[in-house]
């Protein structure tokens, strides 16, 4: 049936007909026609955030947790520019986000109109695609195409900028079936490359599997496990690959790179074949690429052809969907073991270098959190030292239960992203874990949680510092703690002002009870964990250093 609708109504209708149910946004002048139309589409639930950055992170969290496109909405000018960090975060971590922004009316564009900004130009390098809708007649097609582009192939953010007068323009609208997503097809090149990879694995003495976010995005966790078990290859999970392989599995080694365990990095340096799946060998993983895995032939599987050979030279590149390629690899490889090699790697393990001299140990906090939630929890971490502890010490068992900003390393991500994760997984407990710095960046979203009844649980690891930067100052800047001590409000009182329960924990024995009570709360809850002020994350590869040269102990005392 054909109807005459406004652009704003067409926007809403297309979203509804594409299966969108949740929007995160903030209104303003140039997007008012859209907000005027929104109540006519009650299946679209709009979450009013307190800052547009949070809308983008929440849409990103929703997308990562659901595998569907997360949608955020903002007005022109400052509303649109506030989305930028969230879109760049989504771009770096391949998360399918659709941003809809209002724009000044077409007649005012290019005239520095009130709240005009060239958001398409600004976001071109940090989106898969940015559109300016030139006329209402193109609006529905652009929205449909934008949603498809966000999730097809390697996922990522898309921005659609809609001038206010286009939102008010009328046009005939006919509901159309949404085109099915194209399935990845492996051609004959893939077949040959899989064969070569299987031969390399068969001949290897010291093979390793390194898996990244692509394994989670393509839902290839079971296939990867089958590959590991059929070949005995030990498995390394990058920061964004964490939870793609169960912690505690006999073949699981841990995280590589800057804060990777010594045995993991040594295994990389000794390996003769590395099969990397759905990761991009970024500098936090490789350290100095010239010294990375000097003995290894690298097989690289990635959906994005541009990733193959971008950071490290590869012996075999396979472009394709991880699940599809790994299935083929499982068929192609012969059953084998790598028992001696695994034993050798276990022998590399050192006594843990992290020692805590007071306050709660992050390891204890994370073990208590796992116990309190009985593992039925998705953990969303922020950026800094706590992020590394959350990556290393929480025993992830189920795929995609660890969500963090890996590529951009965006402080302030955890709290708003956790709102999106919670909406995507209403049955699951969601814990946002932040440092005292990152938490203060987006803690205004507690109001969103209260207003929208989003039961996010928040933990703040309070060390009184911008801890990760302080650690670098201690190690590499002579201990001069320039601008890293950070004052915090009284978090319990803060929570009280929002009307949510909160606890401040200083002793380990308090943790089980507090974390269980917070988890059981029907609404949002906050737990401040007071940790040692100058605790460090060990081991650490110095920036630009080789994986073979970890720092494993405190440098000389600070005081410069
Ligand atoms: C938006 C943003 N600004 C600055 C940084 C640089 N940075 C990385 S870690 C860090 C310190 C984080 O401190 P906190 O949130 O207290 O966490 P901690 O390291 O103490 O666990 C900073 C400032 C960043 N990653 N993101």
């Amino acid at each position: 049936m054909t109807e005459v609708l406004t652009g704003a109504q067409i926007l809403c209708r297309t979203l509804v007909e594409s299966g969108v149910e949740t929007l995160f946004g903030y209104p303003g002048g140039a997007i008012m026609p859209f907000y005027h139309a929104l109540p006519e589409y009650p299946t679209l639930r709009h979450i009013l955030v307190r800052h547009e950055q949070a809308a983008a992170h929440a849409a990103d969290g929703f997308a990562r947790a659901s595998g569907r496109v997360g949608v955020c909405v903002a007005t022109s000018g400052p509303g649109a520019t506030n989305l930028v960090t969230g879109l760049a975060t989504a771009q770096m971590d391949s998360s399918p986000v659709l941003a809809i922004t209002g724009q000044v009316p077409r007649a005012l564009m290019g005239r520095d109109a009130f709240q005009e900004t060239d958001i398409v130009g600004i976001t071109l390098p940090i989106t898969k695609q940015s559109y300016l809708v030139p006329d209402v007649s193109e609006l529905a097609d652009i929205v449909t195409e934008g949603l498809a582009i966000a999730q097809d192939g390697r996922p990522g953010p898309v921005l659609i900028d809609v001038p206010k007068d286009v939102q008010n323009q009328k046009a005939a609208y006919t509901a159309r079936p949404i085109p099915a997503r194209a399935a990845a097809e492996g051609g004959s090149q893939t077949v040959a490359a899989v064969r070569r990879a299987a031969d390399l694995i068969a001949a290897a003495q010291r093979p390793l599997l390194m898996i990244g976010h692509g394994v989670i995005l393509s839902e290839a966790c079971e296939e990867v496990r089958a590959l590991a078990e059929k070949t005995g290859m030990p498995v390394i999970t990058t920061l964004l690959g964490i939870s793609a392989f169960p912690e505690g599995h006999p073949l699981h080694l841990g995280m590589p790179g800057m804060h990777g365990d010594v045995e993991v990095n040594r295994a990389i340096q000794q390996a003769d074949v590395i099969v990397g799946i759905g990761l991009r060998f970024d500098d936090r993983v490789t350290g100095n690429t010239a010294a990375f895995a000097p003995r290894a032939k690298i097989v690289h599987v990635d959906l994005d052809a541009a990733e193959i050979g971008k950071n490290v030279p590869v012996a075999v590149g396979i472009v394709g969907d991880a699940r599809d390629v790994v299935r083929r690899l499982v068929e192609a490889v012969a059953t084998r073991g790598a028992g001696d090699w695994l034993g050798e790697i276990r022998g590399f393990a050192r006594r843990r270098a992290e020692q805590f001299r007071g306050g709660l140990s992050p390891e204890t906090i994370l073990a208590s959190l796992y116990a309190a939630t009985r593992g039925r929890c998705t953990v969303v971490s922020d950026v800094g030292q706590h992020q590394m502890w959350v990556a290393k010490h929480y025993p992830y068992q189920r795929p995609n239960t660890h969500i963090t900003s890996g590529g951009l390393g965006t402080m302030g991500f955890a709290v708003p992203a956790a709102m999106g994760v919670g909406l995507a997984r209403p049955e699951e407990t969601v814990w946002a874990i932040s440092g005292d710095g990152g938490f203060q960046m987006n803690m205004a979203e507690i109001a969103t949680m209260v207003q929208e009844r989003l039961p996010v649980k928040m933990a703040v690891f309070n060390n009184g510092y911008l801890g990760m930067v302080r650690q670098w100052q201690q190690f590499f800047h002579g201990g001069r703690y320039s601008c890293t001590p950070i004052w915090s409000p009284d978090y319990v009182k803060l929570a009280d002002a929002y009307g949510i329960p909160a606890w401040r924990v200083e002793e380990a024995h308090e943790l089980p009870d507090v974390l269980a009570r917070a988890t059981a709360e029907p609404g949002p809850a906050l737990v401040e964990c007071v940790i040692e002020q100058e605790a460090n994350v060990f081991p650490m590869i110095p920036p630009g250093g080789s994986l073979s040269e970890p720092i494993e102990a405190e440098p000389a005392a600070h005081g410069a």
Side-chain angles (χ1 to χ4, degrees):
M1 194 182 81
T2 301
E3 301 160 72
V4 174
L5 300 177
T6 65
Q9 290 170 318
I10 290 172
L11 199 45
C12 293
R13 274 287 286 274
T14 328
L15 292 173
V16 170
E17 286 163 11
S18 306
V20 173
E21 290 167 348
T22 310
L23 316 171
F24 304 89
Y26 209 95
I31 191 78
M32 283 187 70
F34 171 79
Y35 275 91
H36 180 79
L38 197 54
E40 296 161 25
Y41 301 89
T43 63
L44 291 175
R45 179 173 179 194
H46 181 274
I47 306 292
L48 178 70
V49 292
R50 293 300 180 272
H51 188 297
E52 291 87 352
Q53 180 187 358
H57 290 323
D60 182 353
F62 179 91
R64 296 189 203 211
S66 66
R68 293 157 56 201
V69 179
V71 182
C72 55
V73 184
T75 192
S76 65
T81 55
N82 275 350
L83 294 175
V84 166
T85 300
L87 295 177
T89 305
Q91 169 85 346
M92 287 289 267
D93 287 352
S94 308
S95 184
V97 168
L98 178 70
I100 296 168
T101 48
Q103 182 54 278
V104 300
R106 286 171 294 179
L108 291 181
M109 286 180 68
R111 299 169 61 185
D112 287 342
F114 177 65
Q115 294 193 329
E116 179 185 4
T117 196
D118 176 10
I119 196 63
V120 168
I122 290 171
T123 56
L124 271 177
I126 54 160
T127 51
K128 275 180 90 176
Q129 181 93 30
S130 291
Y131 300 89
L132 174 70
V133 181
D135 188 84
V136 72
S137 58
E138 296 184 32
L139 180 57
D141 284 345
I142 288 177
V143 174
T144 311
E145 185 179 290
L147 283 164
I149 287 178
Q151 56 193 328
D152 283 349
R154 181 179 186 169
V158 169
L159 180 131
I160 301 178
D161 198 26
V162 195
K164 187 171 185 177
D165 60 318
V166 172
Q167 296 172 50
N168 284 325
Q169 252 187 318
K170 290 197 170 153
Y173 179 79
T174 313
R176 292 149 310 164
I178 302 301
R181 288 174 61 183
E185 261 305 315
S188 58
Q189 280 180 337
T190 312
V191 174
V194 165
R195 188 65 265 151
R196 280 190 290 142
D199 290 345
L200 279 179
I201 294 169
Q205 304 287 313
R206 295 171 162 180
L208 286 177
L209 256 179
M210 279 178 79
I211 62 174
H213 198 195
V215 170
I216 289 174
L217 288 169
S218 74
E219 299 179 1
C221 301
E222 277 178 30
E223 288 76 4
V224 164
R225 185 172 172 159
L227 180 64
E229 290 176 351
K230 191 167 177 190
T231 56
M233 281 195 281
V235 180
I236 292 173
T237 40
T238 69
L239 178 63
L240 290 186
I242 286 173
S243 81
F245 200 81
E247 302 274 330
H249 186 288
L251 289 170
H252 187 239
L253 298 183
M255 187 173 80
M258 181 170 272
H259 290 294
D261 290 320
V262 168
E263 67 268 29
V264 177
N265 287 337
R266 266 188 83 176
I268 290 172
Q269 297 304 77
Q270 304 283 330
D272 57 4
V273 168
I274 292 177
V275 181
I277 305 171
L279 79 164
R280 62 195 158 88
F281 292 101
D282 92 323
D283 55 283
R284 285 295 191 267
V285 162
T286 60
N288 179 357
T289 44
F292 174 75
R295 302 167 195 190
K297 293 198 174 81
I298 295 177
V299 176
H300 191 183
V301 180
D302 206 288
L303 189 56
D304 185 349
E307 289 298 343
I308 311 278
K310 184 176 89 178
N311 292 330
V312 293
V314 299
V316 181
I318 309 178
V319 179
D321 174 68
R323 185 157 66 163
D324 173 54
V325 173
V326 177
R327 269 189 194 150
R328 292 158 183 257
L329 266 173
V330 173
E331 273 172 34
V333 292
T335 304
R336 54 161 289 172
D340 293 350
W341 167 225
L342 189 60
E344 198 180 328
I345 298 171
R346 298 289 179 208
F348 298 153
R350 307 277 176 87
R351 193 178 50 78
R352 269 279 238 309
E354 280 168 359
Q355 280 163 359
F356 299 99
R357 291 173 297 240
L360 300 168
S361 105
E363 202 167 344
T364 309
I365 301 169
L366 293 162
S368 303
L369 185 64
Y370 184 77
T373 58
R374 294 186 303 282
R376 281 200 290 278
C377 168
T378 298
V379 178
V380 186
S381 66
D382 212 72
V383 173
Q385 292 181 309
H386 66 282
Q387 180 187 32
M388 295 298 112
W389 289 318
V390 170
K392 285 156 66 119
H393 299 317
Y394 188 89
Y396 300 93
Q397 299 300 326
R398 291 175 300 131
N400 204 9
T401 52
H402 168 262
I403 289 176
T404 196
S405 164
L408 202 67
T410 307
M411 283 171 71
F413 171 83
V415 166
M419 301 195 302
V421 174
L423 279 156
R425 297 187 179 162
E427 306 304 322
E428 179 127 340
T429 302
V430 179
W431 273 90
I433 303 184
S434 313
D436 42 335
F439 185 75
Q440 291 187 70
M441 283 193 172
N442 274 327
M443 66 188 185
E445 295 309 319
I446 298 174
T448 306
M449 295 174 200
V450 172
Q451 183 170 349
E452 303 285 350
R453 291 192 293 283
L454 307 176
V456 173
K457 316 301 174 200
M458 292 161 278
V460 182
F461 282 29
N462 189 352
N463 54 10
Y465 280 107
L466 298 173
M468 186 57 95
V469 179
R470 184 209 55 74
Q471 176 170 341
W472 284 48
Q473 289 172 333
Q474 183 185 356
F475 287 14
F476 313 118
H477 292 268
R480 183 180 288 184
Y481 291 171
S482 169
C483 306
T484 44
I486 184 164
W487 178 90
S488 279
D490 180 326
Y491 290 114
V492 176
K493 282 191 184 155
L494 179 84
D496 192 44
Y498 286 102
I500 69 167
W503 297 262
R504 176 183 164 92
V505 181
E506 291 179 72
E507 306 280 342
H509 69 83
E510 302 166 86
L511 280 168
D513 181 51
V514 167
L515 293 174
R517 283 168 66 188
T519 299
E521 274 296 324
L526 176 68
V527 178
E528 175 190 4
C529 298
V530 180
I531 65 165
E532 183 196 326
Q533 292 216 313
E534 294 180 56
N536 286 320
V537 183
F538 286 113
M540 177 176 195
I541 306 294
S546 137
L547 294 191
S548 306
E549 297 155 0
I551 301 172
E552 294 183 71
E554 306 280 342
H558 79 276

